[in-house]
């Protein structure tokens, strides 16, 4: 029984570390309240925008230090949560990106950073 109790700190450390590394929430607490927001990995990101459905939602993005925009695949609307969702792939690790989202009735801009 003593061996189990001596392993508890190690198991807790592993659990907290795994959660911090593998979590799929925005990295900052304030990011969880942003709309829209991105959930970045090393070379991709998920985009989430809670807004009323208004047809096609286009997305364009660029590295923060670049001037030319790239067109992403249109976001898909999920009725269950009332939000547009999509992904951007082929990104660079530890890089800041700017994103513009647009529907027929709304527009949004935000930045995010991929993981390092």
């Amino acid at each position: 029984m003593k061996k189990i109790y001596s392993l508890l700190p190690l198991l807790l450390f592993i659990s907290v570390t795994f959660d911090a590394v593998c979590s799929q929430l925005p990295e900052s607490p304030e990011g969880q309240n942003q709309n829209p927001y991105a959930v970045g990995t090393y070379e991709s990101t998920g985009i989430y925008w809670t807004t009323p459905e208004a047809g096609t939602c286009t997305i364009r993005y660029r590295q923060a230090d670049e001037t030319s925009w790239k067109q992403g695949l249109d976001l898909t609307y999920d009725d269950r949560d009332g939000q547009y969702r999509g992904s951007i792939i082929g990104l660079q690790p530890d890089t800041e990106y700017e994103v513009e989202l647009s529907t027929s009735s709304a527009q949004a801009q935000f930045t995010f950073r991929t993981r390092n």
Side-chain angles (χ1 to χ4, degrees):
M1 192 63 135
K2 287 184 180 182
K3 289 182 181 183
I4 292 175
Y5 287 119
S6 65
L7 290 176
L8 285 178
L10 177 62
L11 294 174
L12 180 62
F13 173 77
I14 291 171
S15 174
V16 169
T17 302
F18 180 79
D19 185 49
V21 171
C22 298
S23 175
Q24 290 298 303
L25 293 174
E27 290 185 12
S28 63
E30 64 274 2
Q32 295 176 22
N33 297 322
Q34 292 179 351
N35 185 38
Y37 67 92
V39 179
T41 63
Y42 302 98
E43 297 178 349
S44 65
T45 190
I47 305 293
Y48 302 87
W49 187 21
T50 303
T51 188
E53 184 175 14
T56 302
C57 180
T58 60
I59 182 171
R60 63 184 201 152
Y61 64 98
R62 66 182 177 189
Q63 287 186 12
D65 61 351
E66 292 184 349
T67 56
S68 62
W69 291 91
K70 296 179 183 177
Q71 191 68 38
L73 294 176
D74 294 345
L75 301 184
T76 302
Y77 194 78
D78 186 343
D79 288 324
R80 296 172 297 177
D81 294 324
Q83 65 183 193
Y84 285 96
R85 298 176 179 172
S87 299
I88 304 172
I89 60 172
L91 304 176
Q92 297 298 312
D94 195 23
T95 303
E96 186 171 356
Y97 286 88
E98 297 175 3
V99 176
E100 288 185 353
L101 305 174
S102 180
T103 66
S104 61
S105 65
Q107 292 184 342
Q109 298 177 343
F110 67 101
T111 61
F112 72 93
R113 178 173 285 282
T114 51
R115 293 183 181 210
N116 59 15

